[in-house]
Amino acid sequence: MPAKTISPKTNHWRFETKAIHEGQNPDPATGAVIVPIYQTSTYVQEELGKHKGYEYSRTGNPTRKALEDSLAALENGTFGLAFSSGMAAASTVMNLFSQGDHLIVTDDVYGGTFRLFERVLKKYGLSFTFTDTREIQNTEKALQKNTKGIWIETPTNPLLKLVDLKKTAEFAKKNHLISICDNTFATPYFQNPLDFDLDLVVHSTTKYLGGHSDVVGGGVVTNRNDLYETIKFHQNAVGGIPGPFDSWLVLRGIKTLAVRMVQHEKNALKIAKMLENHPSVLKVNYPGLHSHPQHQLAEQQMRGFGGMISFEIKGGLESARNLLNHTKLFSLAESLGGVESLIEHPATMTHASLPQAAREKLGISDGLIRVSVGIENIEDLTTELENALNQSRRK
Ligand SMILES: *Cc1c(COP(=O)(O)O)cnc(C)c1O
């Protein structure tokens, strides 16, 4: 007897239910409740051209397909595609563009995205204008005759600046641009760019979706059939696919995304408030704070504010170094979005590849610290951070 299947795109399900069930029917061969790791490269054909939908695992794999359907459902999209990393996802999306095309890009995009555009894709004849997309006037000013796309990130890394999704989508439609949003920081639990009519959502599933700092992956979701077909063609042609085990790990992470994000946010808000009142702190960047200049926009387009905070410590590099030497629970490490809290120094770590002048222009000072707030006990987290801040001051 074939296992009872759950129909795809069951729109009536709410987020938590979709995260656990969408795309993840019991295995038709065995009834396994969890999608198996189909660790195979190829599939038998009963006779020439007759197969069960899979021929070769670069083109398609059932574990990856489950992840792709899950990603689509979480972003309220029709089509999902999974990749071996966030950068593989970004790079494959960029195959939509051709020599001579120009794109407008958020000026403090993820460093790897900046590097891909500036150091790799420029060689192939693409050009980019990096601008402060917080103000739509800046975006409009960057428009050229050959502009074909707009790539935004909101909230940004590490300064937690926001881009207006609705205005960006309207601008893109009016000018016939493909609009792309990197939604890694917010996650589909807190923000769905496709609902605002953007064309494509890109994710590094390495972060919150995987959620346990044990896998590298990426994803793309869209409602547009034409874009899906072209990106899927390039997914197969270029080959940046995730393996079955990595796909399975991300799927497993997604099941608890909702409960994790609730806790990440709760903890982040408490820490942001503690930092805001601490005498060693000059400024806190967190969209959930009333002091955030775009707090109102965050309330309009997000359902929550996420788990990422950055703040500026008094005393610049020296104080920053002292602080980072006094945290244990907050591990000193790059990356983000796992259950464990991480702390880092953008100027010398994640954003070191940016020239100092560019860092200063964006507001990434030597005293800036970025925190990925985990889901440990909040008292343990605040106590440690407060002690570390006091130590850094005493030095
Ligand atoms: C990490 C990250 C990426 C790149 O993803 P990888 O999985 O590391 O390749 C892209 N965008 C954002 C916002 C990220 O945080």
Side-chain angles (χ1 to χ4, degrees):
M1 270 253 288
K4 204 168 78 194
T5 56
I6 297 165
S7 67
K9 205 119 176 58
T10 34
N11 287 317
H12 60 280
W13 278 343
R14 289 169 187 82
F15 191 93
E16 295 80 354
T17 314
K18 286 198 285 192
I20 293 169
H21 293 290
E22 195 79 60
Q24 302 172 62
N25 302 331
D27 181 47
T30 62
V33 166
I34 297 303
V35 174
I37 302 163
Y38 281 92
Q39 195 72 45
T40 185
S41 62
T42 190
Y43 307 81
V44 71
Q45 307 203 357
E46 285 162 42
E47 49 187 80
L48 207 55
K50 193 171 167 209
H51 54 76
K52 297 183 152 77
Y54 295 98
E55 294 159 85
Y56 184 63
S57 276
R58 170 161 32 74
T59 319
N61 173 281
T63 316
R64 188 175 100 216
K65 178 71 167 75
L67 172 60
E68 294 180 330
D69 289 349
S70 172
L71 291 172
L74 297 187
E75 282 291 7
N76 299 331
T78 317
F79 309 103
L81 289 164
F83 293 89
S84 54
S85 70
M87 290 324 300
S91 157
T92 309
V93 162
M94 290 305 290
N95 290 147
L96 288 167
F97 300 97
S98 305
Q99 189 178 16
D101 289 353
H102 168 260
L103 283 96
I104 302 167
V105 187
T106 299
D107 57 4
D108 60 343
V109 275
Y110 177 72
T113 306
F114 180 81
R115 182 174 53 199
L116 171 71
F117 292 179
E118 281 292 292
R119 309 235 341 241
V120 182
L121 296 175
K122 256 192 176 171
K123 287 193 305 193
Y124 296 89
L126 294 180
S127 61
F128 305 91
T129 299
F130 295 88
T131 189
D132 185 347
T133 51
R134 281 180 297 182
E135 297 296 335
I136 197 76
Q137 295 93 300
N138 295 336
T139 309
E140 285 163 353
K141 246 188 263 163
L143 189 71
Q144 300 179 7
K145 268 212 204 81
N146 57 339
T147 306
K148 292 288 164 60
I150 175 160
W151 183 293
I152 60 164
E153 197 174 305
T154 179
T156 64
N157 172 25
L159 294 162
L160 288 306
K161 297 176 187 169
L162 265 55
V163 184
D164 191 312
L165 292 170
K166 187 163 166 278
K167 285 186 186 162
T168 303
E170 282 167 4
F171 167 81
K173 288 271 175 303
K174 196 172 119 203
N175 296 289
H176 311 288
L177 313 180
I178 297 173
S179 52
I180 305 140
C181 179
D182 183 334
N183 201 29
T184 301
F185 264 41
T187 83
Y189 184 70
F190 286 134
Q191 176 172 280
N192 295 116
L194 299 185
D195 289 354
F196 293 83
D197 233 6
L198 272 97
D199 293 318
L200 291 162
V201 170
V202 172
H203 277 288
S204 167
T205 57
T206 312
K207 316 295 166 54
Y208 289 105
L209 296 179
H212 298 76
S213 306
D214 54 10
V215 61
V216 173
V220 176
V221 181
T222 183
N223 279 315
R224 280 182 55 177
N225 187 52
D226 58 334
L227 298 182
Y228 168 71
E229 289 298 338
T230 309
I231 300 168
K232 189 172 168 52
F233 167 80
H234 285 97
Q235 181 196 42
N236 183 51
V238 178
I241 51 138
F245 182 57
D246 285 359
S247 300
W248 183 90
L249 277 172
V250 177
L251 265 177
R252 175 157 118 151
I254 284 173
K255 286 178 196 290
T256 55
L257 180 65
V259 286
R260 284 187 284 111
M261 290 319 294
V262 168
Q263 200 59 39
H264 279 297
E265 186 191 34
K266 248 193 208 165
N267 286 356
L269 190 60
K270 287 221 171 108
I271 288 176
K273 285 184 173 158
M274 179 278 284
L275 289 170
E276 203 168 35
N277 291 315
H278 198 282
S280 302
V281 175
L282 286 170
K283 185 170 179 244
V284 185
N285 306 308
Y286 182 65
L289 290 176
H290 289 281
S291 60
H292 190 285
Q294 296 170 293
H295 177 63
Q296 225 181 339
L297 178 62
E299 289 202 310
Q300 279 167 28
Q301 66 185 24
M302 303 175 77
R303 290 180 294 272
F305 310 108
M308 296 301 299
I309 300 173
S310 63
F311 64 96
E312 213 170 311
I313 190 170
K314 278 183 196 161
L317 186 59
E318 171 120 21
S319 304
R321 191 172 283 138
N322 283 337
L323 174 74
L324 296 170
N325 287 341
H326 281 100
T327 59
K328 274 211 301 276
L329 203 49
F330 288 85
S331 308
L332 181 58
E334 299 191 4
S335 198
L336 59 109
V339 291
E340 64 288 312
S341 292
L342 302 178
I343 195 162
E344 68 111 3
H345 185 239
T348 57
M349 293 171 69
T350 48
H351 293 68
S353 61
L354 280 181
Q356 178 154 13
R359 280 201 308 268
E360 274 168 15
K361 193 162 158 251
L362 291 172
I364 303 171
S365 68
D366 283 349
L368 191 77
I369 310 267
R370 188 188 79 177
V371 181
S372 173
V373 181
I375 61 172
E376 298 95 339
N377 181 282
I378 185 60
E379 302 302 329
D380 293 339
L381 292 178
T382 38
T383 305
E384 184 186 91
L385 201 52
E386 250 172 327
N387 286 342
L389 278 166
N390 295 339
Q391 295 269 4
S392 76
R393 218 150 62 109
R394 229 171 279 139
K395 271 269 181 157

